Amino acid sequence: MTFPFMPEQASTMAASVDNLFFFLLAVSAFFAVLIAVLVVVFAVKYRRVHEASVGAPIHGGLVLELTWTIIPLGIAMVMFVWGASVYFDLARVPQNAVEIYITGKRWMWKAQHLTGQKEINALHVPVGQPVKLIIQSEDVIHSFFIPAFRAKMDAVPGRITTMWFEATKPGRYHLFCAEYCGTNHSGMTGYVEVMEPSAFQTWLGGGAQEGSLAEAGEQLFNKLGCATCHSGDSQARGPNLEGVFGTTVTLANGQQVLFDEEYARESILNPQAKMVEGYLPLMPTFQGLVNEEGLAQLIEYVKSLSQGGATPTPTPAAVPGSTPKPQPSDP
Amino acid sequence: MHDVRSTDPEGEAFQTEVQPRVHYLNATHGIAAWLLTKDHKRIGLLYLFAISVFFLIGGVFAMLVRLELLTPEGDLLSSEAYNTAFSMHGIIMVFFFLVPSIPAVFGNFFLPIMIGAKDVAFPKLNLMSWYIAMIAGFMILTTLLMGGVDTGWTFYPPYSTTGSTSNVVLAALAIFVMGFSSILTGLNFIVTVHTMRAPGMTWGRLPLFVWAQYATSLIMVLGTPVLAITLGLVFAERVFHFGIFDPKLGGDPILFQHLFWFYSHPAVYIMILPGMGVISELVAAFSRKQVFGYNFIAASSLAIAIVGFLVWGHHLFTSGQSAYAALVFSVLSFIVAIPSAIKVFNWTATLYRGSISLQSPMLYALGFIGLFTIGGLTGLFLAALGLDLHMQDTYFVIAHFHYIMVGGTLLAYLGALHYWWPKITGRLYTEGWAKVAAVTVFVGFNLTFFPQFLVGYLGMPRRYHAYVPEFQVLNVLSTAGASILAIGFILPACYLLHSLFKGEIAGRNPWGAYGLEWDTTTPPPPSNFEVTPIVTRPAYAYTHADVVEPYGGTTEGSGESGGQEVRSV
């Protein structure tokens, strides 16, 4: 058994997070040692010799006070800016990322690949390619945590969160749930298997029963009767869903929103929240009729209707049906 | 010294007192006299007794948690039992020990004395606050007997409102009730400091402990109602299914986190600010020197109280909150660290050319300075956005806040207990054992929590009943440290109880310290002073005229300070 003191660096971001860590460690060690040495030296040097002696009448010094206010403040601001820049690198998903839908539920992690592959408490990803995780929760808050990638994101019920990483070393890494979720929280663990791209292709080819995620979404779309209103013709009661994903839509109240995964999800579960301009609030909620995995399929189907609609970038051949779109910097 | 002290214009201090003197402990007798007392000193002792019981219970749960984590498998406790253990440990230690600890015990006992007041502004409310705390305590013990609660001390919904099958409602109500005792204490201190100061006790002469209590009271009064509202909403959702936090009912779970941390981050400052106040007193007393930068320490207490209200969002960096909100909360979190740094530098500078005596309270104070420094610096790691994504919800966070709350608040609490013990009880404790205990606590604490920084960065999530084998070595170290720490807490219980019955009689001022609480007799009379003191000097104005009574001295009446010169700070 090995006793590591630092987690493995297995993603493109791991080193930059660790470098920030070492910088803070160096600054902290300097100040901690400085204080400790001063305290010990003063305590020894100025120890009370005579029972009745008192200390020197020193009240303070403005120059010193300003010094140890301004210098730490400056150092703290350097830490803040550095920390923020690493954060934005972690929050900005690269354009060409492979998308995988993740659903947390007590007490397991489910992954849905766009090809229709599903796995539980495991995640297979290719090495050297950015992977974007679209994370949902079926019940309570969870948190998807891969220490070797220095990446973590909460799975929050009622909304979609995203995270991304690019694995740099093939191998098997821990996957933990980091947000307390009840009885078997510590059992909500698994592994991330980083594979060479060719091996990953082979693994993906291992057969998904119901076709790709978008195809499953199309079946569900028809089964739920969505096509009745979202038929695509101009007289329909609902807006046309073709070519809208990744674009900006105008709402009845004049606001503009980006049609992304979160908007698609909200429109299914809470249709009246952000009505598109020119349509009546007729759509019922599908809360309870479709679960998070179904939502992933529907969202993916709606995305597939916008193939080539948004910014055309080379789709990773490994994953048909993934549609890159302009990324908001806001995670 | 034969100068007349300002508190005693008649010069009666030089007449040998007629024994037995009436003091607050022997003024009245019987259970009822204690349970119906309006004397702030006795109420402080009632709190001391009560929170010691809670500390013991919380400590037992901590030990259960550490024993479970000795091995990677979840073998000692079931998952449910383990989750209940860490939840009860957190709830009891935070809400029933740390939040009331220093304010309710030493604030109640010494704040009025230190400003030369006869009592707090609202003695009946003060007693009421203790009864409210006891009702809350009874509720939390009932929760415990019914099987406890397993939501963690943070009560995050939807788990707490729809997921958990434990006694969430009763536990939340207990904390809800406990909050009112906190509010009453805070209100009392604010009004007392504003209206009850002795003649000449200007704001600029207040002991720094009083400044710290004042800043803490502001947070208690302004922050605690938000916690009450938040827990009320949890109650409403759990019992009446109002959709507030659960998205299935149309609520938003992140709303809870904003509301909860809006109180619970300032609550961290409720816990640490009084500790900082204690350290200012201890460093001054055992260096016999004015605290360096009095104004800056007083102002930094207020700065922490104010800015502390603006950093709650740093608990939500991984929750999917807006990146721009995260930026703002990150920069504010770095800024709130600066006043704490100023305090540490000023305490260190106070030691320079002091007359330093390393008696047991000072050992706790120096331990505090070291541990609080590490706790504060590791807070910077968590304030740094890019790092927090990795460290959030890991043992790094656990180690960080235990360095603040145990290495900080608890060491300050123990330091205060030793420093003021002779004044409270009229007895001296065994100094040798006290030194041993202080060192034991310091060593045990570091061995317990330093490995948790490492295991946290490795990626061990918090609140894990079982973990992967490569984390075991660090967990074993941590559990070993916890055992040493337990000994360090048992020792004071033994020698302090021993001193109650067998300790030497303490004089008026056994440390040779400067302050109104050392001017009055030991134990203090029911109304704190025989004659209302008139203050003529700033806090900590040590001069050679302050005659020192040797440690262990039993004479009354020395420790006189005099001198009418007024020095500006």
Side-chain angles (χ1 to χ4, degrees):
Chain A
M1 191 155 57
T2 55
F3 310 124
F5 281 96
M6 287 291 285
E8 229 174 330
Q9 293 187 341
S11 76
T12 49
M13 287 305 300
S16 58
V17 171
D18 283 355
N19 292 342
L20 174 60
F21 177 76
F22 290 132
F23 168 67
L24 266 77
L25 197 60
V27 172
S28 301
F30 171 78
F31 279 105
V33 169
L34 175 75
I35 296 288
V37 167
L38 285 177
V39 165
V40 171
V41 167
F42 289 164
V44 173
K45 189 173 175 186
Y46 302 111
R47 65 188 178 280
R48 190 174 301 166
V49 188
H50 302 294
E51 191 54 58
S53 59
V54 296
I58 304 169
H59 306 312
L62 187 63
V63 175
L64 267 178
E65 297 286 352
L66 289 175
T67 306
W68 62 48
T69 303
I70 291 165
I71 291 176
L73 187 63
I75 296 172
M77 288 305 108
V78 171
M79 291 174 178
F80 161 69
V81 172
W82 189 342
S85 75
V86 171
Y87 172 74
F88 275 105
D89 289 343
L90 284 160
R92 278 205 192 93
V93 187
Q95 292 279 328
N96 57 338
V98 177
E99 292 185 340
I100 304 173
Y101 284 82
I102 303 285
T103 302
K105 85 181 266 194
R106 291 191 291 167
W107 287 277
M108 61 173 80
W109 289 109
K110 294 193 234 175
Q112 293 166 276
H113 294 262
L114 298 189
T115 52
Q117 275 281 5
K118 289 185 189 174
E119 35 185 344
I120 288 184
N121 289 344
L123 182 65
H124 287 72
V125 294
V127 73
Q129 196 165 22
V131 174
K132 173 186 176 185
L133 303 180
I134 299 165
I135 306 170
Q136 301 179 87
S137 165
E138 268 186 42
D139 40 38
V140 301
I141 303 173
H142 304 280
S143 192
F144 197 84
F145 178 32
I146 309 162
F149 298 168
R150 311 290 186 278
K152 177 188 288 115
M153 184 50 78
D154 290 4
V156 183
R159 65 176 66 182
I160 283 179
T161 54
T162 55
M163 66 188 263
W164 79 276
F165 54 81
E166 183 180 326
T168 53
K169 277 199 297 194
R172 185 171 278 206
Y173 304 102
H174 289 299
L175 158 64
F176 294 127
C177 174
E179 184 64 67
Y180 178 66
C181 53
T183 308
N184 202 16
H185 168 56
S186 61
M188 192 165 162
T189 56
Y191 61 88
V192 178
E193 185 80 38
V194 178
M195 312 167 87
E196 292 295 349
S198 57
F200 180 66
Q201 286 304 323
T202 314
W203 180 84
L204 274 183
Q209 299 302 316
E210 45 201 281
S212 75
L213 207 55
E215 286 165 7
E218 185 174 14
Q219 288 170 17
L220 189 57
F221 190 83
N222 294 324
K223 187 176 143 211
L224 292 168
C226 310
T228 316
C229 302
H230 297 280
S231 56
D233 69 54
S234 55
Q235 300 303 311
R237 280 176 293 178
N240 183 0
L241 297 179
E242 274 180 41
V244 291
F245 195 92
T247 65
T248 306
V249 293
T250 308
L251 303 184
N253 61 8
Q255 277 185 313
Q256 303 260 320
V257 295
L258 179 70
F259 195 121
D260 57 1
E261 290 98 348
E262 176 60 47
Y263 180 70
R265 181 186 199 283
E266 187 183 41
S267 301
I268 297 166
L269 298 181
N270 188 6
Q272 320 293 333
K274 296 185 180 129
M275 296 291 305
V276 175
E277 189 181 34
Y279 291 93
L280 294 171
L282 298 172
M283 179 167 162
T285 175
F286 284 80
Q287 178 96 45
L289 297 173
V290 55
N291 66 6
E292 272 63 20
E293 285 166 280
L295 285 168
Q297 295 166 344
L298 288 173
I299 292 168
E300 211 42 50
Y301 170 63
V302 173
K303 271 193 205 179
S304 72
L305 296 176
S306 307
Q307 286 289 15
T311 47
T313 46
T315 313
V319 191
S322 84
T323 310
K325 60 182 182 61
Q327 287 300 333
S329 61
D330 197 333
Chain B
M1 298 310 303
H2 288 270
D3 49 2
V4 174
R5 83 158 290 94
S6 51
T7 59
D8 194 358
E10 310 304 313
E12 284 164 17
F14 304 110
Q15 300 162 9
T16 316
E17 293 188 42
V18 184
Q19 295 292 344
R21 197 172 51 81
V22 173
H23 52 71
Y24 83 103
L25 290 168
N26 67 9
T28 52
H29 291 284
I31 297 284
W34 278 85
L35 291 181
L36 298 174
T37 183
K38 292 191 281 295
D39 182 341
H40 64 102
K41 299 182 286 300
R42 287 190 172 194
I43 293 169
L45 290 190
L46 290 176
Y47 266 113
L48 175 65
F49 175 77
I51 69 169
S52 299
V53 173
F54 285 122
F55 180 74
L56 180 68
I57 298 169
V60 168
F61 282 116
M63 219 54 225
L64 283 174
V65 167
R66 280 315 330 160
L67 286 172
E68 168 59 69
L69 294 175
L70 197 56
T71 55
E73 305 79 27
D75 41 15
L76 178 71
L77 304 168
S78 66
S79 291
E80 289 86 353
Y82 177 80
N83 295 344
T84 304
F86 75 68
S87 302
M88 295 311 297
H89 166 67
I91 289 169
I92 288 175
M93 284 302 201
V94 169
F95 295 111
F96 291 84
F97 177 74
L98 285 167
V99 167
S101 63
I102 294 170
V105 178
F106 303 111
N108 260 331
F109 198 111
F110 286 104
L111 183 135
I113 302 181
M114 285 167 123
I115 63 173
K118 286 188 165 54
D119 206 312
V120 290
F122 307 115
K124 288 177 188 163
L125 283 186
N126 204 13
L127 181 63
M128 192 167 116
S129 85
W130 185 76
Y131 276 100
I132 290 172
M134 289 308 95
I135 291 166
F138 177 75
M139 288 164 80
I140 205 74
L141 293 180
T142 310
T143 311
L144 204 56
L145 293 174
M146 287 167 63
V149 65
D150 72 344
T151 57
W153 78 278
T154 47
F155 289 93
Y156 272 24
Y159 181 68
S160 66
T161 57
T162 51
S164 174
T165 54
S166 62
N167 307 291
V168 177
V169 168
L170 193 56
L173 282 178
I175 296 165
F176 178 89
V177 172
M178 190 71 189
F180 287 94
S181 92
S182 200
I183 293 170
L184 288 177
T185 301
L187 189 71
N188 234 328
F189 287 175
I190 291 171
V191 179
T192 304
V193 173
H194 271 279
T195 63
M196 310 273 288
R197 285 169 288 127
M201 178 55 84
T202 57
W203 286 88
R205 291 176 181 168
L206 286 177
L208 288 164
F209 178 74
V210 177
W211 271 110
Q213 290 294 354
Y214 184 80
T216 308
S217 302
L218 291 175
I219 308 176
M220 283 175 166
V221 170
L222 295 172
T224 316
V226 180
L227 176 74
I229 293 163
T230 311
L231 292 169
L233 292 173
V234 167
F235 177 87
E237 180 163 292
R238 199 174 160 90
V239 176
F240 304 115
H241 306 292
F242 292 178
I244 300 154
F245 303 126
D246 186 350
K248 288 199 169 64
L249 302 168
D252 180 2
I254 304 298
L255 172 65
F256 173 88
Q257 294 179 26
H258 282 289
L259 288 170
F260 178 83
W261 290 113
F262 183 82
Y263 164 79
S264 292
H265 195 81
V268 175
Y269 299 116
I270 291 179
M271 296 178 232
I272 193 66
L273 272 171
M276 292 166 159
V278 167
I279 301 307
S280 298
E281 296 300 314
L282 296 181
V283 168
F286 292 92
S287 311
R288 293 237 183 96
K289 192 162 165 290
Q290 211 148 39
V291 174
F292 191 91
Y294 170 97
N295 293 342
F296 288 89
I297 292 196
S300 64
S301 290
L302 293 175
I304 288 173
I306 295 161
V307 183
F309 269 109
L310 307 174
V311 300
W312 78 89
H314 68 213
H315 295 268
L316 284 76
F317 288 161
T318 64
S319 70
Q321 76 171 356
S322 140
Y324 302 105
L327 276 181
V328 172
F329 284 122
S330 172
V331 77
L332 286 165
S333 302
F334 278 108
I335 288 169
V336 81
I338 302 301
S340 300
I342 290 172
K343 283 181 193 279
V344 170
F345 289 128
N346 276 303
W347 291 323
T348 309
T350 305
L351 299 174
Y352 174 73
R353 293 183 58 202
S355 165
I356 298 171
S357 153
L358 294 181
Q359 283 158 308
S360 46
M362 186 60 160
L363 292 182
Y364 284 111
L366 298 184
F368 175 104
I369 293 174
L371 299 182
F372 177 76
T373 300
I374 294 175
L377 287 165
T378 48
L380 298 176
F381 288 66
L382 296 164
L385 281 166
L387 269 183
D388 187 68
L389 294 193
H390 174 59
M391 295 184 179
Q392 162 73 346
D393 278 321
T394 67
Y395 261 82
F396 194 96
V397 178
I398 303 270
H400 156 68
F401 75 70
H402 280 85
Y403 263 80
I404 299 286
M405 291 181 187
V406 185
T409 307
L410 190 59
L411 256 65
Y413 177 83
L414 289 170
L417 189 63
H418 287 75
Y419 178 54
W420 282 312
W421 183 263
K423 181 59 67 174
I424 293 173
T425 62
R427 303 267 187 169
L428 300 173
Y429 54 82
T430 322
E431 174 65 14
W433 279 111
K435 283 197 170 88
V436 169
V439 172
T440 308
V441 167
F442 186 82
V443 171
F445 172 83
N446 279 297
L447 185 58
T448 306
F449 293 103
F450 200 82
Q452 296 185 3
F453 284 125
L454 302 170
V455 87
Y457 200 76
L458 272 177
M460 178 168 169
R462 63 191 293 194
R463 298 170 170 177
Y464 259 34
H465 170 228
Y467 53 88
V468 293
E470 63 247 46
F471 299 153
Q472 185 175 7
V473 171
L474 291 164
N475 273 292
V476 169
L477 286 176
S478 188
T479 300
S483 313
I484 296 171
L485 196 53
I487 294 167
F489 294 146
I490 292 166
L491 279 174
C494 299
Y495 62 74
L496 289 179
L497 284 174
H498 173 264
S499 101
L500 274 184
F501 304 102
K502 303 271 185 188
E504 279 185 71
I505 303 295
R508 182 192 289 259
N509 186 1
W511 312 113
Y514 178 86
L516 286 176
E517 78 269 36
W518 303 111
D519 284 342
T520 189
T521 46
T522 292
S527 61
N528 297 341
F529 300 94
E530 308 295 348
V531 182
T532 301
I534 297 168
V535 182
T536 58
R537 291 200 283 167
Y540 321 114
Y542 282 92
T543 65
H544 287 282
D546 302 316
V547 172
V548 174
E549 181 176 332
Y551 181 77
T554 57
T555 51
E556 276 288 357
S558 59
E560 292 302 276
S561 58
Q564 297 292 325
E565 82 274 29
V566 179
R567 288 207 249 100
S568 56
V569 177

